[in-house]
């Protein structure tokens, strides 16, 4: 099992460009999450999806959109990138049940110039 | 007020030392508690869940005090491989939203 995979690993954008970060999990988990991690801020939730077909805003959703394409895939889109969106983005899925363990992808390092 | 607060450190300790990290959370509706470990430029990984009665996993002991809204992690006999950032994580009982502390940095020195 690959667990949680993310593409791309690195990306540099110019202000105003758009891009989609891809995330997939092969653990048959219902819930999936997108976080950003900035120095001194910890991980902050952007959007999450409790199940296929549903998405909800987290703490910092502005400037982002998401799509839960199917149970495996959860993508994050930046329509018009801004320098404030320079960050490391992590996707995660949740095992659920009694465990409540989140499994993270390796992250995407995004720089917006 | 932040949902989860941690002392960022850094903690620099010699091999074999015992070190303790603390964390406080602000929302009394929080239901589940965890410690994650994050190595430099890597993704967070679950270290251990924290149970009300306290729990131990080898050299690691986690404790929860719901009355004080306080979580701790004790590492005994520190190894060089313990060097990492330790994240305190809290799950609220409404919705599957996790809240992360900013992390405590640990360096174990030979």
């Amino acid at each position: 099992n690959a667990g949680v995979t993310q593409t791309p690993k690195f990306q540099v954008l110019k202000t105003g460009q758009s891009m989609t970060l891809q995330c997939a999990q092969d653990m048959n988990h219902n819930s999936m999450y997108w976080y950003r991690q900035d120095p001194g801020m910890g991980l902050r939730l952007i959007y999450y999806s409790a199940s296929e077909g549903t998405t909800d805003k987290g703490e910092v959703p502005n400037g982002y959109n998401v799509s839960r394409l199917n149970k495996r895939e959860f993508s994050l889109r930046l329509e018009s990138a801004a320098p404030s969106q320079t960050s490391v983005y992590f996707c995660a899925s949740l095992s659920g049940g009694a465990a409540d363990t989140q499994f993270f992808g390796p992250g995407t390092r995004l720089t917006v110039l | 007020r932040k949902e989860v607060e941690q002392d960022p450190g850094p903690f620099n300790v010699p091999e074999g030392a015992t070190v303790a990290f603390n964390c406080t959370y602000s929302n009394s509706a929080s239901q589940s508690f965890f410690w994650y470990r994050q190595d430099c430029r890597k993704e967070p990984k679950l270290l251990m869940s924290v149970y009300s009665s306290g729990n131990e996993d080898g050299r690691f002991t986690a404790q929860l005090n719901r009355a004080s809204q306080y979580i701790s992690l004790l590492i005994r006999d520190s190894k060089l491989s313990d060097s990492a950032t330790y994240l305190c994580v809290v799950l609220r009982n409404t919705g599957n939203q996790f809240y992360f502390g900013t992390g405590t940095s640990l360096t174990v020195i030979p």
Side-chain angles (χ1 to χ4, degrees), chain A residues 17 24 28 37 53 57 71 91 112-113:
Chain A
Q17 287 185 316
N28 203 36
Q37 186 174 34
K57 294 179 181 179
K71 192 169 187 179
C91 176
V112 183
L113 302 174

Side-chain angles (χ1 to χ4, degrees), chain B residues 74-91:
Chain B
L74 184 77
I75 305 175
R76 291 181 300 278
D77 188 23
S78 299
K79 311 290 185 194
L80 296 176
S81 56
D82 294 334
S83 297
T85 296
Y86 291 82
L87 306 175
C88 177
V89 183
V90 168
L91 173 64

